[in-house]
Amino acid sequence: MKTKLIVSLFLLFVMMLGNAHAADLDLPVLTINSIDKDTQNISVNLQILLLMTALSFLPAIFMMMTSFTRYIIVLSILRQAMGMQQTPSSQILIGLALFLTFFTMAPVFNQVNENAIQPYLNDKIQLVEAYDKAMIPMKVFMLKQTHVNDLSLFSDIAKVKVSSSEPETIPMNIIVPAFVTSELKTAFQIGFLLFIPFLVIDLVIASVLMGMGMMMLSPLIISLPFKIMLFVLVDGWALVIGALANSVIT
């Protein structure tokens, strides 16, 4: 029940990031059902405590269940390939990856909002049913990005038979690690392709300097301006961001 409460709070957080306005939110009071069917309201202080506890899980949930991992790894590899250790700063890369994630995940968040959050807030469905309906779009999204061999790996470890054609039947403890593993693999593949043109520039500059007998001069100092010039001339940021957005299947 604790997990479902955390996920429910996460769904409410997603809705607030979407099209809903904060002024229109009408959150139901949390209740506790005792053995004799009596219902008791949880105090506001306890609700705030539960909410603050759930907020500590939101970063992990956001990174492990969205395309954020792919974006931040590729952008970090790109910065390393260009030879710039601190530019752009980590805060800028994280912010760019964050809003790019919101952009590409918007269709999935909208489905979660329409199928689960709004009916739950309108008292049409219970929390457990809202959780089940909210997980279906997330499972479908993650399975589209997950490699078959990664899904098979974790299903074999858990000794559970899964079918990608029935995402609602696959437990989250199998989908999430398989999804993250596939995202890491995809991110490093994209990063490898980004590294190639910058590596060619480094090799050319190093060969020229060695041919001129300037072996004491670091090739990185000379190649960095050429890397920046090449990246700007081909409109590199637009190409990289566009490729990242298009690489995610929603």
Side-chain angles (χ1 to χ4, degrees):
M1 185 62 186
K2 180 179 178 182
T3 303
K4 294 180 179 178
L5 176 60
I6 293 172
V7 173
S8 176
L9 294 173
F10 167 68
L11 298 179
L12 298 179
F13 172 76
V14 169
M15 183 192 65
M16 288 186 287
L17 294 176
N19 298 326
H21 297 284
D24 298 332
L25 293 177
D26 186 15
L27 301 181
V29 178
L30 298 177
T31 59
I32 297 178
N33 294 326
S34 60
I35 299 177
D36 56 357
K37 305 297 183 180
D38 292 335
T39 301
Q40 300 176 351
N41 292 336
I42 300 178
S43 64
V44 176
N45 292 335
L46 184 55
Q47 292 185 47
I48 295 176
L49 177 61
L50 293 174
L51 178 60
M52 297 303 295
T53 302
L55 288 177
S56 63
F57 290 89
L58 286 179
I61 294 175
F62 185 81
M63 288 187 295
M64 297 296 102
M65 298 178 63
T66 66
S67 53
F68 177 83
T69 301
R70 178 186 304 190
Y71 297 152
I72 191 62
I73 290 178
V74 172
L75 293 176
S76 299
I77 292 177
L78 175 62
R79 181 177 64 179
Q80 185 71 24
M82 294 182 66
M84 296 185 294
Q85 302 298 326
Q86 301 296 331
T87 305
S89 64
S90 298
Q91 291 84 350
I92 294 177
L93 294 184
I94 293 174
L96 178 59
L98 184 65
F99 283 97
L100 188 58
T101 302
F102 288 148
F103 174 76
T104 55
M105 294 290 296
V108 180
F109 289 160
N110 288 336
Q111 292 182 26
V112 173
N113 182 41
E114 294 174 1
N115 300 336
I117 298 178
Q118 291 301 326
Y120 173 67
L121 294 179
N122 295 328
D123 294 328
K124 295 181 179 179
I125 58 177
Q126 298 299 319
L127 179 60
V128 176
E129 186 179 356
Y131 167 79
D132 293 335
K133 290 187 176 182
M135 288 298 101
I136 293 178
M138 297 300 300
K139 288 181 178 180
V140 171
F141 166 77
M142 288 189 288
L143 286 175
K144 288 181 179 179
Q145 322 301 323
T146 304
H147 300 160
V148 177
N149 56 342
D150 294 328
L151 185 62
S152 300
L153 170 64
F154 288 96
S155 63
D156 292 341
I157 295 175
K159 296 180 174 58
V160 176
K161 293 183 179 180
V162 299
S163 174
S164 58
S165 60
E166 299 178 352
E168 65 277 0
T169 62
I170 306 177
M172 291 297 293
N173 63 334
I174 293 179
I175 296 180
V176 172
F179 168 75
V180 175
T181 304
S182 298
E183 286 294 283
L184 292 173
K185 185 184 300 182
T186 303
F188 277 98
Q189 289 174 348
I190 298 175
F192 170 75
L193 295 177
L194 289 176
F195 236 106
I196 293 177
F198 298 108
L199 180 61
V200 171
I201 294 177
D202 286 335
L203 292 176
V204 171
I205 296 298
S207 300
V208 172
L209 292 178
M210 185 167 293
M212 297 175 61
M214 304 174 64
M215 292 176 291
M216 299 299 295
L217 182 62
S218 174
L220 296 179
I221 300 177
I222 306 300
S223 63
L224 181 58
F226 289 97
K227 292 179 181 179
I228 297 176
M229 181 183 65
L230 174 65
F231 196 71
V232 171
L233 289 178
V234 300
D235 197 7
W237 285 114
L239 291 176
V240 171
I241 293 175
L244 286 175
N246 291 326
S247 67
V248 176
I249 306 173
T250 57

